[in-house]
Amino acid sequence: MQLLLWAVTSVLITHTNLALSTDEHRAIKSELSEPIILQLKNGNRISGHAIETSEDQIQIATAEGAGEIIYTFQGEDIQTIAIPGESYKSLATEWIHTGRHEDALSLMSMLYAQRSPLLPFLPASESHFFTYYVDLVLDSPKPARAIAIIQTLRPQIENPDALRALEDSTLESYQTLELYDEAIPLAENWVASRKPFSESALGYYVLGAARLRSEAYEEALDLALRPIVFASPIPTDKLTECYAVAIAAALGLRERVYAATLYQEMQARGFVWPADDRSLQPTLKEITEYIKDHEDTPESP
């Protein structure tokens, strides 16, 4: 069995541009269904399947003759837990980086189903790893699942960088799902604690969009412009959305020439209008029509 699984893994890593086949999917799922091994602090080792878990207790069913025995252990009794399929975590990460997002989502779903009940007993790095899964789910046809995943991961994460990544995923989840009442306070805290020249402009976009919806155009413009003004040569996440919010705010202030300048600057930098935020789509129509109508007769501000 292990030789077959090794062969399947080797094929998957070698042919990174091929879609995950039904047989490969079945082989991965089979390996992930293998028993886990508990190394106890008293030196004993128990192999079996977790049938029930809580924050501080786990029940393991292990084969015994024609039947099975169920053991119950407290979290404090467990030294380590060995879980099959560790190599697939690296493969999922590789697929994310090479653009195989659909296959990465499928593989991550299997890994999460296998490991999520065990997260209270695993190192925090396991939960950190699944922040990748949150991002994949947000881009999937069912983004609402991201909220439940975040709620499972949050208590297990300790690393400051991992916490920041999860905060970003949480904020983006609420914004994507249009849960604005939950998104706004998170965005306010985000802006208060992050610099506008960091690797992400997420909080400025979310809070600027909120001010835009309440017709506080000057505040929306100020928020959206901060990361634009301070942007570094390194690509900044959500900078495109900040441009769109700034353009919408400028139009709300009737600063059409400035809005057109921002739109042309946005295009010159190679940014494409964000398609995921439905509230910004009317702005795209308005600014493109204005530019088309005023190509030869620039208006004074």
Side-chain angles (χ1 to χ4, degrees):
M1 181 65 176
Q2 291 300 319
L3 181 59
L4 171 61
L5 295 171
W6 175 86
V8 170
T9 304
S10 298
V11 170
L12 290 175
I13 293 174
T14 302
H15 301 287
T16 54
N17 293 323
L18 301 179
L20 188 62
S21 72
T22 301
D23 288 343
E24 291 165 343
H25 188 282
R26 188 180 297 115
I28 294 171
K29 192 169 184 179
S30 176
E31 180 175 1
L32 298 182
S33 299
E34 292 290 313
I36 64 174
I37 299 174
L38 269 65
Q39 178 67 53
L40 303 177
K41 292 181 179 178
N42 63 10
N44 292 334
R45 286 162 59 92
I46 301 293
S47 174
H49 292 89
I51 58 173
E52 188 173 337
T53 61
S54 64
E55 290 186 1
D56 57 3
Q57 186 174 280
I58 182 171
Q59 287 188 335
I60 297 292
T62 185
E64 181 70 22
E68 65 178 13
I69 298 177
I70 296 177
Y71 297 94
T72 300
F73 300 103
Q74 300 298 317
E76 61 189 18
D77 299 326
I78 301 170
Q79 184 72 42
T80 59
I81 301 178
I83 307 175
E86 185 70 16
S87 63
Y88 289 123
K89 292 166 59 181
S90 298
L91 184 59
T93 304
E94 179 183 333
W95 281 349
I96 292 171
H97 294 324
T98 56
R100 289 184 60 176
H101 293 166
E102 185 175 344
D103 287 337
L105 177 61
S106 178
L107 181 52
M108 280 281 202
S109 296
M110 289 187 281
L111 287 167
Y112 185 74
Q114 176 205 36
R115 294 166 185 254
S116 59
L118 301 171
L119 287 177
F121 310 99
L122 299 177
S125 58
E126 287 281 347
S127 295
H128 185 188
F129 167 73
F130 283 112
T131 59
Y132 289 116
Y133 183 42
V134 175
D135 294 335
L136 289 169
V137 170
L138 278 176
D139 292 333
S140 76
K142 297 180 180 179
R145 290 183 299 157
I147 300 297
I149 297 168
I150 288 169
Q151 291 172 345
T152 299
L153 299 180
R154 180 62 182 84
Q156 317 305 328
I157 294 182
E158 301 171 353
N159 180 279
D161 290 338
L163 283 173
R164 284 166 65 93
L166 194 64
E167 287 172 1
D168 287 1
S169 296
T170 304
L171 178 53
E172 188 166 0
S173 297
Y174 287 143
Q175 181 69 14
T176 299
L177 297 170
E178 299 181 5
L179 299 173
Y180 299 131
D181 289 344
E182 290 83 358
I184 291 172
L186 293 181
E188 289 173 341
N189 291 335
W190 198 104
V191 168
S193 62
R194 310 277 187 102
K195 301 296 184 183
F197 46 80
S198 67
E199 68 279 0
S200 175
L202 174 62
Y204 292 96
Y205 152 56
V206 174
L207 196 56
R211 300 297 184 258
L212 196 63
R213 290 192 300 274
S214 62
E215 299 184 357
Y217 298 123
E218 289 188 6
E219 191 173 353
L221 182 61
D222 176 68
L223 283 162
L225 284 178
R226 285 187 219 171
I228 292 173
V229 170
F230 289 103
S232 69
I234 301 173
T236 301
D237 184 46
K238 301 303 177 186
L239 198 60
T240 300
E241 285 79 0
C242 283
Y243 265 107
V245 169
I247 292 164
L251 289 173
L253 292 168
R254 300 187 182 279
E255 297 286 348
R256 299 182 185 88
V257 173
Y258 184 48
T261 300
L262 284 171
Y263 182 69
Q264 290 161 346
E265 178 183 311
M266 177 184 177
Q267 288 184 307
R269 297 183 67 172
F271 294 137
V272 178
W273 194 268
D276 293 337
D277 191 330
R278 296 183 300 171
S279 67
L280 294 172
Q281 301 318 304
T283 298
L284 175 61
K285 181 179 179 182
E286 183 177 353
I287 192 61
T288 53
E289 288 181 352
Y290 171 79
I291 291 175
K292 181 178 179 180
D293 293 341
H294 295 78
E295 284 178 334
D296 300 320
T297 56
E299 178 182 320
S300 299

